[in-house]
Amino acid sequence: MKLFIYELRKIFDKKIFLIVLVLCLVINSLLLYSSQNTEENNLRLTYSEEYGKMLNEYLSMPIQKARNRIDDELLAYEISGRLESLAQADNEEFIESCTSELEEYKKSNPDAYQKAVKMNRNGNESYWKNSFLHDMSQQIEYINSYPKFIGKMFDRAKAQSASSIFGDENSFSYKNLYKTADDYSELKDTELSLVNSDSLTATVKFGLTDIFVIAVVLLMCFYLFGFEREKGLCLLIRCTKFGRLKTIILKFAVLFVLSAVVSVLFITSDFILNTFLYGGMDLSVNIQSISEFRNCTLSVTAGQFLFFFVLSKIIGILIISAFLALVFICFSSSAAIYITGLGIVGIEYLLYTLIVQNSSLNLLKYINIFYIIDGGEFFGSYLNLDIFSNAVTSIPIVLSVFGVLFVLCTMFSCILFCRCSLQKKTNVFSGVFEKFRLFFFKISGSTSILMAEIFKFIIQNKMAFVLILLVIFSVISSFGTVQYPYSEISDADYKAYMEYLEGNITPEKKSYIAEEQKYFDGLRQRLDDIAENSEIPSSTKQAMSKSIENILNSKGAAFERVSEQYSRLLKLKESGVNARFIDECIYSVFVSGKTREWNNFTLLCLVLLIAVPYIFAVEYKNSMINLIRPTKNGKARLFVNKTAVMLMFTFLSFASVYLPYLIRFIRTYGTNSFSTPIVCIFKNLQSSYLSVLGAMIVNLACSLLLALAAVSVIAVLSIITESNMFTMLLSTVLIIIPCLAVYSAESLRIGYCIANDFVAVLIIVCIFSAAIFIIMISIAELKFTKSRIRRAKNAGS
Amino acid sequence: MKKFILTISTICVLSSAACIFSSCSEQSLKIDYSDKYIENQDYQYMYSDGFGHSSFQKSNDGYYAAVNNFLFYIDGKTMNATPICNKSNCLHDREPDEVKLKECNAYVPDYAEYSRNTIQLYNNNIYFLQIDRADSFDDVDKYLFYEMDIKSGRRKLLLSYSDGKVVFWAVHRGYIYFKADNYISSYDSDELKAHDGAGFNKMFKLALGESSPEAIYDFEKTDGIYKMQLSNSFIIYGNHIYIGYSGYKNEEVYNKVISADEDVLESAVSGVLSGYVHIDIPNSKASIILDGSEEKSKVFNCFYNNKLCYSQSNNVYISELDGSNPKLLAENINGIFLHDGKNNFTSIFDTDNTGEYVQTIMSLDDKLNRLAVYTMPDHFFVQGIVQLMCPYDDKYIFGFVENNDKTDIVYIEKQQLESDQHQLKAKMIYSCKNSIPAFKE
């Protein structure tokens, strides 16, 4: 027990762990809130209390009565809408038809009509009520259809199996049809009721929580398995009575207990937040009352389902924690652990999300750890897997496969932990690499601190290799990024027009546009002439008309776009803008390429979080920090040089990521339009001081500032944590996960802000990034140069 | 120890891979390369509308039909239709939830986004083409060729094609043939600008089981026709591919047509050309057949006793499959001449007094003399005129009847064409709900 508590303290004594845990919880909650606080959910969130009250009102009456009442109310809203349209209408035909329709309503539904009149007199009661009534009406429709859905299951199986393609009794399809019907038969007496289920469904659907939980588990693995190894303390454990076996068992016990606790903690926080947003849910109703869980075959209440949901998350996280523990024990290098551990988990995640359920590779989707972690799907839907033409329920088979994997991972981890020395080892190529390095790169004699730092970072820590890989990757991935974004039939001709017109509006261009206008007017006339000509055979007429229509549909449509742009430019010119013709297709993507911007920034952050920890943490890792004696300037000079290396690497990485696209763009389209104001590109933009070049510079500057802010955070983390691996983990939580979260939010891009003239947002981003950079570098300097802290720490440890 | 772990891990990985992929192995089909229609291995041209669309396919004991993005099997004996989905907890086309609806095994979204889908049956697999539309300017459209196992409903992605736009396609004798171009518009090759100067307009073939298509003909290299426009008329038979075109004799004629000068219009009429590009599959050689001026254009009708059958004005001709050796078959035939392997018909489209389209069928005897005239049921439409008389299906004419929120799959028994009842009657097989609003032609 004592050992268990000691192992537990290894984690809880680290303030940083608790800070990270709280930080993850806060970020997770913020992301959950932002994912729910959408325009679509606006009414639901604003009037959640009213929704609850309405639901309670209808819950207290029999379902049929509730349905009739809702239908009446909806009809009243519809009539009220008509009355309002009639009051605003000025079209006689519409007024006539609307009046007769209302008369009809008055006769057939006098109560609903009176109610609508009353509603109109009192002002439009509330739009939200109408929306909620629709929602409840759909719920009632689902509740009424459910008995039929279950009751007809055997009939459907019978009808399907009657067809010759599913008729073979030995086939998976036949077995699946009847097994499904059998498994659902127990649900025939399930009672459904109206329920406010949004808090539960939002909790079940929010998948980002799993990533945070995995990140925290990774951190725990580091403290339990990586920390002692990094400090060289593993050798001390061997000489105890039971060797290392007792230690590893208790380490696993701590890991599993804490993983389960963390999973429960995160899900509970999600559910509480969602309950706060959407209102409380009656957990005693059957889970099938929620239409999303129609296919669930478990005869459980919503509360019990929530328990199963938590259980599946815990099982999934335990398996992942066992796997990550094995990775930590097998590998000694931080980068290898990071890449192997997160790489394999990432591949599993991609397989689960990218493979569709009826793919021939669907076993890879369902015999997948993320299928278990996705508790809503695992317990909430029904699935049989085709195992040698047998229909096997997915839950037991997936649990057994991963149960075996879990035991194997734990067992191998224990064996390796007990038998291997767990010292930092060199691999078979180390000798060769060392000889090669010494032959080409070595420092002889005295050298400057800066050169020494560069040598350590670039050569010793092999970051030159990372940089070369980054350059190669960026150059290769830039192929095909500068393509004309063809999307409409007229794009090719529009491009051709713009190649000629691009630039200032000159008299020649004006007369060219007038000539083209005349040509297309003539062509339209020609089309009429062909249609009216009675001497030409109809098939020939058709071929001729087709040729002309093709021109009008492609070149003609392109000219209409040019013409529209021309009139807009003339208006801009009148307002004093240096209006110039510009290809909107090319430059709108150039100024605001949403996917490109996200890809570039995330790639840059990923490279920085792998490389930057090696600058500061390396001295702590190999204990060389104790040898750096305070000079006249203390450690400040060393810090400045290390910061210089860090900035150099950041700039080089930044250039490697961003330059290939820019070079390709300039080589393809030139720089003629760089001075054109961006108001000429974006129709919705009323004013902007930026030119295309200016917009690109602002974009790059903002990205660079954000990258510098990220780098400074990584640097501080590496100094505080004194560990590469730990820094990588924390940086992933703080930088990469938020990047993943904003992937689909296309408005959260610098290009988007530029294209919509959100100057204030851009300024805030710049100031915020610069402030973070300055504050973080100051903290880093303070921490790094204060050698006493280090001594105190050493003494303590 | 590490070796032991490595061995165990390798065994685990290999055995699980074997389990996963064991069900994917296919039996290859022995191909007969005879120059005639071979059942079970050839493109079912008789169910095609002549433009590469085919909503019906015939198998040994039934038919496959695709409508509103759902795939059905029609039992040949009972003529009952079943969605090709092996889940009894699935409501198929009647599913109100869009997410669950897309999880149905019978759901096959069509590339052309028509309400009537295009499918192909080959070696017990259904093939279909889906489009993955670009969702941003940085992305491009991807054409996804899928193979679907009819019994399990599992599908396999054969090819993701993003180099251009796929216009029509067919599975025939172990290959997928498709025409693609990377012009923005496929209609007027001169007015189109190739993407970054690398434009093409080619016929490709992809061997089933391989991943890279091979170009077999470049339409840009066709001599003698100015501004060739492919009409999308497309059919494969035996060792031949036929693709319709129209074009101009030379640049001068074309300029006359598109100029605003009315006087020159009539003089250009004789310079408007039409015909078919014929590709000989074994040699990958192309030739122009059935060519002539549009004024007296030759229109492909059907295959007649393993010959190519076409009409010019009101006369019907037959020729060898490569277009050589033409002979007059009959004169003054009213309507589109059709032959279903046994009987001869003509199909006539007309409008009645109210302006509604009326389709009638005239049956002809062996010497192509009129026997009787039958009127098709109201609102009945077929995939195309060729499909109307399935030569290898002497029982049914398949079609659709569209209602507000559903499309009915219907059929006419061909026996009715021998009766005295001149108004044909259709029977409904399945009423497919329009769960997803699809683009209608």
Side-chain angles (χ1 to χ4, degrees), chain B residues 4-36:
Chain B
F4 172 69
I5 293 170
L6 200 69
T7 317
I8 295 283
S9 322
T10 314
I11 291 168
C12 287
V13 170
L14 289 178
S15 53
S16 48
C19 284
I20 289 167
F21 298 108
S22 59
S23 57
C24 302
S25 59
E26 279 170 25
Q27 283 189 331
S28 60
L29 198 68
K30 203 176 175 188
I31 308 284
D32 180 349
Y33 292 98
S34 309
D35 202 6
K36 59 181 179 184

mmCIF file of all heavy atoms in Angstrom, chain B residues 4-36:
data_model
loop_
_atom_site.group_PDB
_atom_site.id
_atom_site.type_symbol
_atom_site.label_atom_id
_atom_site.label_comp_id
_atom_site.label_asym_id
_atom_site.label_seq_id
_atom_site.Cartn_x
_atom_site.Cartn_y
_atom_site.Cartn_z
ATOM 1 N N PHE B 4 11.399 -12.301 -29.125
ATOM 2 C CA PHE B 4 10.188 -13.043 -28.819
ATOM 3 C C PHE B 4 8.949 -12.138 -28.990
ATOM 4 O O PHE B 4 7.965 -12.506 -29.625
ATOM 5 C CB PHE B 4 10.280 -13.574 -27.375
ATOM 6 C CG PHE B 4 9.019 -14.207 -26.871
ATOM 7 C CD1 PHE B 4 8.582 -15.424 -27.391
ATOM 8 C CD2 PHE B 4 8.232 -13.577 -25.909
ATOM 9 C CE1 PHE B 4 7.407 -16.005 -26.945
ATOM 10 C CE2 PHE B 4 7.058 -14.147 -25.463
ATOM 11 C CZ PHE B 4 6.645 -15.358 -25.984
ATOM 12 N N ILE B 5 9.072 -10.933 -28.441
ATOM 13 C CA ILE B 5 7.961 -9.975 -28.540
ATOM 14 C C ILE B 5 7.684 -9.640 -30.004
ATOM 15 O O ILE B 5 6.541 -9.597 -30.461
ATOM 16 C CB ILE B 5 8.284 -8.688 -27.738
ATOM 17 C CG1 ILE B 5 8.329 -9.036 -26.257
ATOM 18 C CG2 ILE B 5 7.252 -7.604 -27.998
ATOM 19 C CD1 ILE B 5 8.855 -7.948 -25.378
ATOM 20 N N LEU B 6 8.799 -9.441 -30.731
ATOM 21 C CA LEU B 6 8.671 -9.101 -32.158
ATOM 22 C C LEU B 6 7.971 -10.221 -32.925
ATOM 23 O O LEU B 6 7.072 -9.973 -33.746
ATOM 24 C CB LEU B 6 10.066 -8.854 -32.733
ATOM 25 C CG LEU B 6 10.109 -8.049 -34.024
ATOM 26 C CD1 LEU B 6 9.711 -6.607 -33.749
ATOM 27 C CD2 LEU B 6 11.486 -8.114 -34.650
ATOM 28 N N THR B 7 8.364 -11.481 -32.624
ATOM 29 C CA THR B 7 7.756 -12.623 -33.310
ATOM 30 C C THR B 7 6.269 -12.706 -33.007
ATOM 31 O O THR B 7 5.445 -12.851 -33.903
ATOM 32 C CB THR B 7 8.433 -13.953 -32.858
ATOM 33 O OG1 THR B 7 9.820 -13.738 -32.807
ATOM 34 C CG2 THR B 7 8.104 -15.106 -33.783
ATOM 35 N N ILE B 8 5.948 -12.579 -31.708
ATOM 36 C CA ILE B 8 4.528 -12.658 -31.291
ATOM 37 C C ILE B 8 3.729 -11.550 -31.987
ATOM 38 O O ILE B 8 2.647 -11.796 -32.542
ATOM 39 C CB ILE B 8 4.409 -12.515 -29.753
ATOM 40 C CG1 ILE B 8 5.078 -13.685 -29.047
ATOM 41 C CG2 ILE B 8 2.951 -12.374 -29.313
ATOM 42 C CD1 ILE B 8 4.298 -14.990 -29.043
ATOM 43 N N SER B 9 4.294 -10.323 -31.963
ATOM 44 C CA SER B 9 3.583 -9.182 -32.574
ATOM 45 C C SER B 9 3.376 -9.425 -34.057
ATOM 46 O O SER B 9 2.296 -9.160 -34.595
ATOM 47 C CB SER B 9 4.353 -7.881 -32.397
ATOM 48 O OG SER B 9 4.942 -7.842 -31.163
ATOM 49 N N THR B 10 4.423 -9.921 -34.740
ATOM 50 C CA THR B 10 4.309 -10.161 -36.183
ATOM 51 C C THR B 10 3.214 -11.183 -36.467
ATOM 52 O O THR B 10 2.390 -10.991 -37.371
ATOM 53 C CB THR B 10 5.661 -10.671 -36.758
ATOM 54 O OG1 THR B 10 6.688 -9.863 -36.245
ATOM 55 C CG2 THR B 10 5.668 -10.650 -38.272
ATOM 56 N N ILE B 11 3.204 -12.277 -35.652
ATOM 57 C CA ILE B 11 2.173 -13.314 -35.851
ATOM 58 C C ILE B 11 0.782 -12.709 -35.663
ATOM 59 O O ILE B 11 -0.126 -12.937 -36.462
ATOM 60 C CB ILE B 11 2.406 -14.509 -34.897
ATOM 61 C CG1 ILE B 11 3.670 -15.261 -35.314
ATOM 62 C CG2 ILE B 11 1.211 -15.464 -34.892
ATOM 63 C CD1 ILE B 11 4.174 -16.279 -34.314
ATOM 64 N N CYS B 12 0.628 -11.913 -34.613
ATOM 65 C CA CYS B 12 -0.678 -11.283 -34.335
ATOM 66 C C CYS B 12 -1.114 -10.417 -35.508
ATOM 67 O O CYS B 12 -2.250 -10.507 -35.967
ATOM 68 C CB CYS B 12 -0.607 -10.421 -33.077
ATOM 69 S SG CYS B 12 -0.512 -11.394 -31.595
ATOM 70 N N VAL B 13 -0.188 -9.555 -35.969
ATOM 71 C CA VAL B 13 -0.524 -8.620 -37.066
ATOM 72 C C VAL B 13 -0.894 -9.391 -38.325
ATOM 73 O O VAL B 13 -1.915 -9.116 -38.974
ATOM 74 C CB VAL B 13 0.657 -7.654 -37.329
ATOM 75 C CG1 VAL B 13 0.432 -6.861 -38.607
ATOM 76 C CG2 VAL B 13 0.826 -6.708 -36.166
ATOM 77 N N LEU B 14 -0.051 -10.402 -38.681
ATOM 78 C CA LEU B 14 -0.293 -11.153 -39.920
ATOM 79 C C LEU B 14 -1.606 -11.930 -39.860
ATOM 80 O O LEU B 14 -2.370 -11.946 -40.817
ATOM 81 C CB LEU B 14 0.870 -12.110 -40.211
ATOM 82 C CG LEU B 14 2.175 -11.438 -40.649
ATOM 83 C CD1 LEU B 14 3.252 -12.491 -40.848
ATOM 84 C CD2 LEU B 14 1.978 -10.645 -41.932
ATOM 85 N N SER B 15 -1.867 -12.568 -38.679
ATOM 86 C CA SER B 15 -3.100 -13.353 -38.599
ATOM 87 C C SER B 15 -4.324 -12.462 -38.642
ATOM 88 O O SER B 15 -5.323 -12.793 -39.277
ATOM 89 C CB SER B 15 -3.111 -14.235 -37.355
ATOM 90 O OG SER B 15 -2.865 -13.437 -36.230
ATOM 91 N N SER B 16 -4.259 -11.289 -37.984
ATOM 92 C CA SER B 16 -5.424 -10.403 -38.040
ATOM 93 C C SER B 16 -5.602 -9.859 -39.453
ATOM 94 O O SER B 16 -6.737 -9.726 -39.930
ATOM 95 C CB SER B 16 -5.326 -9.272 -37.023
ATOM 96 O OG SER B 16 -4.072 -8.689 -37.100
ATOM 97 N N ALA B 17 -4.491 -9.564 -40.139
ATOM 98 C CA ALA B 17 -4.602 -9.087 -41.532
ATOM 99 C C ALA B 17 -5.220 -10.176 -42.404
ATOM 100 O O ALA B 17 -6.073 -9.898 -43.254
ATOM 101 C CB ALA B 17 -3.228 -8.705 -42.065
ATOM 102 N N ALA B 18 -4.811 -11.432 -42.161
ATOM 103 C CA ALA B 18 -5.369 -12.543 -42.941
ATOM 104 C C ALA B 18 -6.868 -12.666 -42.723
ATOM 105 O O ALA B 18 -7.639 -12.879 -43.645
ATOM 106 C CB ALA B 18 -4.681 -13.838 -42.557
ATOM 107 N N CYS B 19 -7.279 -12.502 -41.439
ATOM 108 C CA CYS B 19 -8.720 -12.570 -41.112
ATOM 109 C C CYS B 19 -9.474 -11.458 -41.826
ATOM 110 O O CYS B 19 -10.543 -11.680 -42.387
ATOM 111 C CB CYS B 19 -8.935 -12.412 -39.608
ATOM 112 S SG CYS B 19 -8.517 -13.883 -38.715
ATOM 113 N N ILE B 20 -8.895 -10.263 -41.777
ATOM 114 C CA ILE B 20 -9.598 -9.107 -42.334
ATOM 115 C C ILE B 20 -9.733 -9.216 -43.849
ATOM 116 O O ILE B 20 -10.786 -8.970 -44.421
ATOM 117 C CB ILE B 20 -8.868 -7.802 -41.943
ATOM 118 C CG1 ILE B 20 -9.074 -7.562 -40.439
ATOM 119 C CG2 ILE B 20 -9.358 -6.613 -42.734
ATOM 120 C CD1 ILE B 20 -8.182 -6.519 -39.849
ATOM 121 N N PHE B 21 -8.662 -9.624 -44.498
ATOM 122 C CA PHE B 21 -8.680 -9.601 -45.955
ATOM 123 C C PHE B 21 -9.084 -10.930 -46.605
ATOM 124 O O PHE B 21 -9.209 -10.996 -47.815
ATOM 125 C CB PHE B 21 -7.326 -9.155 -46.500
ATOM 126 C CG PHE B 21 -6.982 -7.760 -46.053
ATOM 127 C CD1 PHE B 21 -6.006 -7.531 -45.106
ATOM 128 C CD2 PHE B 21 -7.683 -6.665 -46.556
ATOM 129 C CE1 PHE B 21 -5.708 -6.242 -44.683
ATOM 130 C CE2 PHE B 21 -7.385 -5.374 -46.139
ATOM 131 C CZ PHE B 21 -6.398 -5.170 -45.198
ATOM 132 N N SER B 22 -9.302 -11.962 -45.786
ATOM 133 C CA SER B 22 -9.622 -13.258 -46.377
ATOM 134 C C SER B 22 -10.904 -13.224 -47.173
ATOM 135 O O SER B 22 -11.043 -13.884 -48.182
ATOM 136 C CB SER B 22 -9.727 -14.310 -45.284
ATOM 137 O OG SER B 22 -10.738 -13.930 -44.378
ATOM 138 N N SER B 23 -11.879 -12.391 -46.739
ATOM 139 C CA SER B 23 -13.164 -12.355 -47.427
ATOM 140 C C SER B 23 -13.125 -11.497 -48.677
ATOM 141 O O SER B 23 -14.090 -11.420 -49.403
ATOM 142 C CB SER B 23 -14.225 -11.818 -46.484
ATOM 143 O OG SER B 23 -13.830 -10.542 -46.038
ATOM 144 N N CYS B 24 -11.990 -10.837 -48.936
ATOM 145 C CA CYS B 24 -11.954 -9.903 -50.062
ATOM 146 C C CYS B 24 -11.506 -10.560 -51.370
ATOM 147 O O CYS B 24 -11.561 -9.952 -52.421
ATOM 148 C CB CYS B 24 -11.012 -8.743 -49.764
ATOM 149 S SG CYS B 24 -11.485 -7.881 -48.281
ATOM 150 N N SER B 25 -10.994 -11.788 -51.285
ATOM 151 C CA SER B 25 -10.492 -12.383 -52.516
ATOM 152 C C SER B 25 -11.637 -12.683 -53.476
ATOM 153 O O SER B 25 -12.716 -13.086 -53.078
ATOM 154 C CB SER B 25 -9.727 -13.660 -52.196
ATOM 155 O OG SER B 25 -10.570 -14.553 -51.531
ATOM 156 N N GLU B 26 -11.408 -12.474 -54.754
ATOM 157 C CA GLU B 26 -12.470 -12.634 -55.742
ATOM 158 C C GLU B 26 -12.114 -13.719 -56.729
ATOM 159 O O GLU B 26 -10.955 -13.977 -56.997
ATOM 160 C CB GLU B 26 -12.589 -11.331 -56.540
ATOM 161 C CG GLU B 26 -13.369 -10.292 -55.821
ATOM 162 C CD GLU B 26 -13.248 -8.968 -56.537
ATOM 163 O OE1 GLU B 26 -12.994 -8.978 -57.764
ATOM 164 O OE2 GLU B 26 -13.393 -7.939 -55.885
ATOM 165 N N GLN B 27 -13.169 -14.300 -57.283
ATOM 166 C CA GLN B 27 -12.912 -15.271 -58.338
ATOM 167 C C GLN B 27 -12.839 -14.504 -59.649
ATOM 168 O O GLN B 27 -13.744 -13.734 -59.990
ATOM 169 C CB GLN B 27 -14.067 -16.255 -58.389
ATOM 170 C CG GLN B 27 -13.990 -17.279 -57.268
ATOM 171 C CD GLN B 27 -15.006 -18.372 -57.445
ATOM 172 O OE1 GLN B 27 -16.062 -18.136 -58.024
ATOM 173 N NE2 GLN B 27 -14.691 -19.547 -56.966
ATOM 174 N N SER B 28 -11.759 -14.721 -60.394
ATOM 175 C CA SER B 28 -11.640 -13.977 -61.644
ATOM 176 C C SER B 28 -12.481 -14.671 -62.719
ATOM 177 O O SER B 28 -12.703 -15.880 -62.690
ATOM 178 C CB SER B 28 -10.176 -13.871 -62.064
ATOM 179 O OG SER B 28 -9.679 -15.168 -62.245
ATOM 180 N N LEU B 29 -12.907 -13.850 -63.652
ATOM 181 C CA LEU B 29 -13.814 -14.332 -64.688
ATOM 182 C C LEU B 29 -12.998 -14.650 -65.940
ATOM 183 O O LEU B 29 -12.108 -13.894 -66.313
ATOM 184 C CB LEU B 29 -14.805 -13.200 -64.979
ATOM 185 C CG LEU B 29 -16.091 -13.524 -65.687
ATOM 186 C CD1 LEU B 29 -16.993 -14.373 -64.815
ATOM 187 C CD2 LEU B 29 -16.806 -12.232 -66.037
ATOM 188 N N LYS B 30 -13.318 -15.758 -66.576
ATOM 189 C CA LYS B 30 -12.616 -16.091 -67.821
ATOM 190 C C LYS B 30 -13.313 -15.329 -68.953
ATOM 191 O O LYS B 30 -14.514 -15.516 -69.187
ATOM 192 C CB LYS B 30 -12.684 -17.601 -68.056
ATOM 193 C CG LYS B 30 -11.574 -18.083 -68.948
ATOM 194 C CD LYS B 30 -11.602 -19.585 -69.092
ATOM 195 C CE LYS B 30 -10.549 -20.009 -70.090
ATOM 196 N NZ LYS B 30 -10.672 -21.421 -70.407
ATOM 197 N N ILE B 31 -12.573 -14.478 -69.604
ATOM 198 C CA ILE B 31 -13.195 -13.578 -70.577
ATOM 199 C C ILE B 31 -13.242 -14.218 -71.968
ATOM 200 O O ILE B 31 -12.257 -14.779 -72.439
ATOM 201 C CB ILE B 31 -12.412 -12.243 -70.676
ATOM 202 C CG1 ILE B 31 -12.211 -11.623 -69.295
ATOM 203 C CG2 ILE B 31 -13.079 -11.285 -71.650
ATOM 204 C CD1 ILE B 31 -13.395 -10.951 -68.693
ATOM 205 N N ASP B 32 -14.391 -14.100 -72.593
ATOM 206 C CA ASP B 32 -14.556 -14.528 -73.988
ATOM 207 C C ASP B 32 -14.447 -13.264 -74.850
ATOM 208 O O ASP B 32 -15.225 -12.323 -74.676
ATOM 209 C CB ASP B 32 -15.942 -15.170 -74.136
ATOM 210 C CG ASP B 32 -16.214 -15.643 -75.554
ATOM 211 O OD1 ASP B 32 -15.433 -15.283 -76.449
ATOM 212 O OD2 ASP B 32 -17.214 -16.348 -75.761
ATOM 213 N N TYR B 33 -13.466 -13.232 -75.762
ATOM 214 C CA TYR B 33 -13.228 -12.015 -76.537
ATOM 215 C C TYR B 33 -13.927 -12.016 -77.901
ATOM 216 O O TYR B 33 -13.548 -11.267 -78.799
ATOM 217 C CB TYR B 33 -11.715 -11.786 -76.722
ATOM 218 C CG TYR B 33 -11.042 -11.444 -75.407
ATOM 219 C CD1 TYR B 33 -10.386 -12.417 -74.674
ATOM 220 C CD2 TYR B 33 -11.087 -10.157 -74.898
ATOM 221 C CE1 TYR B 33 -9.781 -12.121 -73.458
ATOM 222 C CE2 TYR B 33 -10.490 -9.840 -73.689
ATOM 223 C CZ TYR B 33 -9.839 -10.829 -72.973
ATOM 224 O OH TYR B 33 -9.253 -10.515 -71.774
ATOM 225 N N SER B 34 -14.947 -12.865 -78.080
ATOM 226 C CA SER B 34 -15.674 -12.909 -79.359
ATOM 227 C C SER B 34 -16.295 -11.551 -79.662
ATOM 228 O O SER B 34 -16.671 -10.815 -78.753
ATOM 229 C CB SER B 34 -16.812 -13.931 -79.296
ATOM 230 O OG SER B 34 -16.324 -15.137 -78.832
ATOM 231 N N ASP B 35 -16.424 -11.301 -80.963
ATOM 232 C CA ASP B 35 -16.936 -9.989 -81.372
ATOM 233 C C ASP B 35 -18.465 -9.980 -81.403
ATOM 234 O O ASP B 35 -19.084 -9.773 -82.458
ATOM 235 C CB ASP B 35 -16.352 -9.611 -82.743
ATOM 236 C CG ASP B 35 -16.406 -8.108 -82.939
ATOM 237 O OD1 ASP B 35 -16.786 -7.407 -81.985
ATOM 238 O OD2 ASP B 35 -16.091 -7.641 -84.041
ATOM 239 N N LYS B 36 -19.065 -10.267 -80.276
ATOM 240 C CA LYS B 36 -20.525 -10.222 -80.139
ATOM 241 C C LYS B 36 -20.846 -10.024 -78.653
ATOM 242 O O LYS B 36 -19.934 -10.048 -77.821
ATOM 243 C CB LYS B 36 -21.133 -11.521 -80.638
ATOM 244 C CG LYS B 36 -20.644 -12.751 -79.911
ATOM 245 C CD LYS B 36 -21.264 -13.998 -80.486
ATOM 246 C CE LYS B 36 -20.726 -15.208 -79.726
ATOM 247 N NZ LYS B 36 -21.174 -16.464 -80.229
#
